[in-house]
Amino acid sequence: MLVLKSLLKQIISGQKLLTVLIDPDKMEVEQLPTFLHHVHQSVATHIFLGGSTDEASKTDSLAKAIKAQSHLPLVLFPGDVSQLTSHADALLFLSLISGDNAEYLIKKQVAAVSKLRDSQLEVIPTGYLLIENGKITTVERVTGTKPMSRKNIQLIVDTAKAGELLGMKLIYLEAGSGAAHPISAEIIKAVKSELKVPLIIGGGIKSKAQLDAAYSVGADIVVIGTAFEENLKFFNEIKKVTSSSITHEIINP
Ligand code: 1GP
């Protein structure tokens, strides 16, 4: 089934989705078997691949290796046209609607068309909003756009809604990788109350409590990268509950 259709089905049935973000600048193909082993034991439902930069042009080889080693849907989350590869299931076709840099609003998308024309990738139009988080992040530097103020919640809501009205199928509120403060509960709640399309939240989420908090106020999909890169044990905190792990807990509480 197509990625968007299947995630809509999961969300409608009440499931919360968790995406593990693999940044090509921070992952080697050789590290994938161990990393994916942990991903598969966790509650992760999707893998995103991409980053603001891909210095060593590893996206293609990483995508191939991930597809060979994982059953999870692989979705591209590209910072640039150079990060497009056919070795994935879908592409978040992002437009940075929080900023006024034409490059990231439409020009990179135009440049992508010649690569997408003959591709089998499922293209998912996605409104991408960068929100201020307390420190300057790579997305801000690379895109040359100012994040939206955390205090102007109405403007964030209106921008997200404008994205939906323009036909975007997903709205992604981004605090930036390694953000000091994840997107606040107040912002998530306000945006979610006006949106019909699924809401993705990412940036700076480092604990199970923060993950649950984001879900409880309306996030449909949460994206986590840094916390997993820095500590594989974090996967244990969000492990799948299987009958064997329940038995283990009963015997070894
Ligand atoms: C970044 O939203 C993602 O684009 C994930 O952020 O690396 O802080 O988890 P973290």
CSV table of all heavy atoms in Angstrom, one decimal, residues 21 26 77 128 139 172-179 201-206 223-229, ligand 1:
chain,number,residue,atom,x,y,z
A,21,LEU,N,14.8,9.2,12.3
A,21,LEU,CA,15.5,10.0,11.2
A,21,LEU,C,17.0,9.5,11.1
A,21,LEU,O,17.7,9.6,12.1
A,21,LEU,CB,15.4,11.5,11.5
A,21,LEU,CG,16.2,12.4,10.6
A,21,LEU,CD1,15.7,12.3,9.2
A,21,LEU,CD2,16.2,13.8,11.1
A,26,LYS,N,25.6,11.6,9.5
A,26,LYS,CA,25.9,11.0,10.8
A,26,LYS,C,25.8,9.5,10.9
A,26,LYS,O,25.9,8.9,11.9
A,26,LYS,CB,25.0,11.7,11.9
A,26,LYS,CG,25.3,13.1,12.1
A,26,LYS,CD,24.3,13.7,13.1
A,26,LYS,CE,24.4,15.2,13.2
A,26,LYS,NZ,23.2,15.8,13.7
A,77,PHE,N,13.7,12.6,3.3
A,77,PHE,CA,13.4,13.9,3.9
A,77,PHE,C,14.6,14.8,3.5
A,77,PHE,O,15.5,15.1,4.3
A,77,PHE,CB,13.4,13.6,5.4
A,77,PHE,CG,13.3,14.8,6.3
A,77,PHE,CD1,12.3,15.7,6.2
A,77,PHE,CD2,14.2,15.0,7.3
A,77,PHE,CE1,12.2,16.8,7.0
A,77,PHE,CE2,14.1,16.1,8.2
A,77,PHE,CZ,13.1,17.0,8.0
A,128,TYR,N,6.4,22.6,5.5
A,128,TYR,CA,7.4,22.5,6.5
A,128,TYR,C,7.6,23.8,7.2
A,128,TYR,O,7.8,24.8,6.5
A,128,TYR,CB,8.7,22.1,5.8
A,128,TYR,CG,9.9,21.6,6.6
A,128,TYR,CD1,9.8,20.7,7.6
A,128,TYR,CD2,11.2,22.1,6.3
A,128,TYR,CE1,10.9,20.3,8.3
A,128,TYR,CE2,12.3,21.7,7.1
A,128,TYR,CZ,12.1,20.8,8.1
A,128,TYR,OH,13.2,20.4,8.8
A,139,VAL,N,19.2,23.8,10.1
A,139,VAL,CA,18.1,24.2,9.1
A,139,VAL,C,18.1,25.7,8.8
A,139,VAL,O,18.0,26.2,7.7
A,139,VAL,CB,16.7,23.7,9.5
A,139,VAL,CG1,15.8,23.6,8.3
A,139,VAL,CG2,16.7,22.5,10.4
A,172,TYR,N,4.5,19.6,8.9
A,172,TYR,CA,5.6,19.2,9.7
A,172,TYR,C,6.1,20.5,10.5
A,172,TYR,O,6.6,21.4,9.9
A,172,TYR,CB,6.7,18.7,8.8
A,172,TYR,CG,7.9,18.0,9.4
A,172,TYR,CD1,8.6,16.9,8.8
A,172,TYR,CD2,8.5,18.4,10.6
A,172,TYR,CE1,9.7,16.3,9.3
A,172,TYR,CE2,9.6,17.8,11.2
A,172,TYR,CZ,10.2,16.7,10.5
A,172,TYR,OH,11.3,16.1,11.0
A,173,LEU,N,5.9,20.4,11.8
A,173,LEU,CA,6.5,21.5,12.6
A,173,LEU,C,7.8,21.1,13.1
A,173,LEU,O,8.0,20.1,13.9
A,173,LEU,CB,5.6,21.8,13.9
A,173,LEU,CG,4.1,22.2,13.6
A,173,LEU,CD1,3.4,22.5,14.9
A,173,LEU,CD2,4.0,23.4,12.7
A,174,GLU,N,8.8,21.9,12.8
A,174,GLU,CA,10.3,21.5,13.0
A,174,GLU,C,10.9,22.5,14.0
A,174,GLU,O,10.9,23.7,13.7
A,174,GLU,CB,11.0,21.5,11.6
A,174,GLU,CG,12.5,21.4,11.7
A,174,GLU,CD,12.9,20.0,12.0
A,174,GLU,OE1,13.0,19.7,13.2
A,174,GLU,OE2,13.1,19.2,11.1
A,175,ALA,N,11.5,22.0,15.1
A,175,ALA,CA,12.2,22.8,16.0
A,175,ALA,C,13.7,22.9,15.5
A,175,ALA,O,14.5,23.7,16.0
A,175,ALA,CB,12.1,22.3,17.4
A,176,GLY,N,14.1,21.9,14.7
A,176,GLY,CA,15.5,21.8,14.2
A,176,GLY,C,16.2,20.7,15.0
A,176,GLY,O,15.9,20.4,16.1
A,177,SER,N,17.1,20.0,14.2
A,177,SER,CA,17.8,18.9,14.8
A,177,SER,C,18.6,19.3,16.0
A,177,SER,O,19.3,20.3,16.0
A,177,SER,CB,18.7,18.2,13.8
A,177,SER,OG,19.1,17.0,14.2
A,178,GLY,N,18.5,18.6,17.1
A,178,GLY,CA,19.2,18.9,18.4
A,178,GLY,C,18.7,20.2,19.0
A,178,GLY,O,19.4,20.8,19.8
A,179,ALA,N,17.4,20.6,18.7
A,179,ALA,CA,16.8,21.8,19.3
A,179,ALA,C,16.9,21.8,20.8
A,179,ALA,O,16.8,20.8,21.5
A,179,ALA,CB,15.4,21.9,18.9
A,201,ILE,N,5.7,16.2,14.2
A,201,ILE,CA,6.5,17.0,15.1
A,201,ILE,C,7.9,16.5,15.2
A,201,ILE,O,8.1,15.3,15.4
A,201,ILE,CB,5.8,17.0,16.5
A,201,ILE,CG1,4.4,17.5,16.5
A,201,ILE,CG2,6.7,17.7,17.6
A,201,ILE,CD1,4.2,19.0,16.1
A,202,GLY,N,8.9,17.4,15.1
A,202,GLY,CA,10.3,16.9,15.2
A,202,GLY,C,11.2,18.0,15.8
A,202,GLY,O,10.9,19.2,15.8
A,203,GLY,N,12.3,17.5,16.2
A,203,GLY,CA,13.3,18.5,16.7
A,203,GLY,C,13.4,18.5,18.2
A,203,GLY,O,12.5,18.9,18.9
A,204,GLY,N,14.6,18.0,18.8
A,204,GLY,CA,14.8,18.1,20.2
A,204,GLY,C,14.1,17.2,21.1
A,204,GLY,O,14.1,17.4,22.4
A,205,ILE,N,13.4,16.2,20.6
A,205,ILE,CA,12.7,15.2,21.5
A,205,ILE,C,13.7,14.1,21.9
A,205,ILE,O,14.3,13.4,21.1
A,205,ILE,CB,11.5,14.6,20.8
A,205,ILE,CG1,10.5,15.8,20.6
A,205,ILE,CG2,10.9,13.5,21.6
A,205,ILE,CD1,9.2,15.4,19.9
A,206,LYS,N,14.0,14.1,23.2
A,206,LYS,CA,15.0,13.2,23.7
A,206,LYS,C,14.6,12.2,24.8
A,206,LYS,O,15.4,11.5,25.4
A,206,LYS,CB,16.1,14.1,24.4
A,206,LYS,CG,16.9,14.9,23.3
A,206,LYS,CD,18.2,15.4,23.9
A,206,LYS,CE,19.2,15.9,22.9
A,206,LYS,NZ,19.1,17.3,22.8
A,223,VAL,N,9.1,12.7,14.9
A,223,VAL,CA,10.4,12.3,14.3
A,223,VAL,C,11.5,12.5,15.3
A,223,VAL,O,11.6,13.6,15.9
A,223,VAL,CB,10.7,13.3,13.1
A,223,VAL,CG1,12.0,12.9,12.4
A,223,VAL,CG2,9.5,13.2,12.1
A,224,ILE,N,12.4,11.5,15.5
A,224,ILE,CA,13.5,11.6,16.4
A,224,ILE,C,14.8,11.1,15.7
A,224,ILE,O,14.8,10.0,15.1
A,224,ILE,CB,13.3,10.7,17.7
A,224,ILE,CG1,12.0,11.2,18.4
A,224,ILE,CG2,14.5,10.8,18.6
A,224,ILE,CD1,11.7,10.4,19.7
A,225,GLY,N,15.8,11.9,15.8
A,225,GLY,CA,17.1,11.6,15.2
A,225,GLY,C,18.2,11.6,16.2
A,225,GLY,O,18.7,10.5,16.6
A,226,THR,N,18.5,12.8,16.7
A,226,THR,CA,19.7,13.0,17.6
A,226,THR,C,19.7,12.0,18.8
A,226,THR,O,20.7,11.4,19.1
A,226,THR,CB,19.7,14.4,18.1
A,226,THR,OG1,19.7,15.3,16.9
A,226,THR,CG2,21.0,14.7,18.8
A,227,ALA,N,18.5,11.9,19.5
A,227,ALA,CA,18.5,11.1,20.7
A,227,ALA,C,18.9,9.6,20.4
A,227,ALA,O,19.6,9.0,21.2
A,227,ALA,CB,17.1,11.1,21.3
A,228,PHE,N,18.6,9.1,19.2
A,228,PHE,CA,18.9,7.7,18.9
A,228,PHE,C,20.4,7.7,18.5
A,228,PHE,O,21.1,6.7,18.8
A,228,PHE,CB,18.1,7.2,17.7
A,228,PHE,CG,16.6,7.0,18.1
A,228,PHE,CD1,15.6,7.5,17.2
A,228,PHE,CD2,16.3,6.3,19.2
A,228,PHE,CE1,14.3,7.3,17.5
A,228,PHE,CE2,14.9,6.1,19.5
A,228,PHE,CZ,13.9,6.6,18.7
A,229,GLU,N,20.9,8.7,17.7
A,229,GLU,CA,22.3,8.7,17.3
A,229,GLU,C,23.2,8.8,18.5
A,229,GLU,O,24.2,8.1,18.5
A,229,GLU,CB,22.6,10.0,16.5
A,229,GLU,CG,22.1,10.1,15.1
A,229,GLU,CD,22.0,11.5,14.6
A,229,GLU,OE1,22.5,12.5,15.3
A,229,GLU,OE2,21.3,11.7,13.6
B,1,1GP,C1,15.2,17.1,12.5
B,1,1GP,O1,13.0,16.9,13.3
B,1,1GP,C2,14.2,16.2,13.1
B,1,1GP,O2,14.8,17.5,11.2
B,1,1GP,C3,14.7,15.5,14.3
B,1,1GP,O3,15.3,16.3,15.2
B,1,1GP,O4,17.5,15.2,15.6
B,1,1GP,O5,16.5,16.7,17.3
B,1,1GP,O6,15.6,14.5,17.0
B,1,1GP,P1,16.3,15.6,16.3
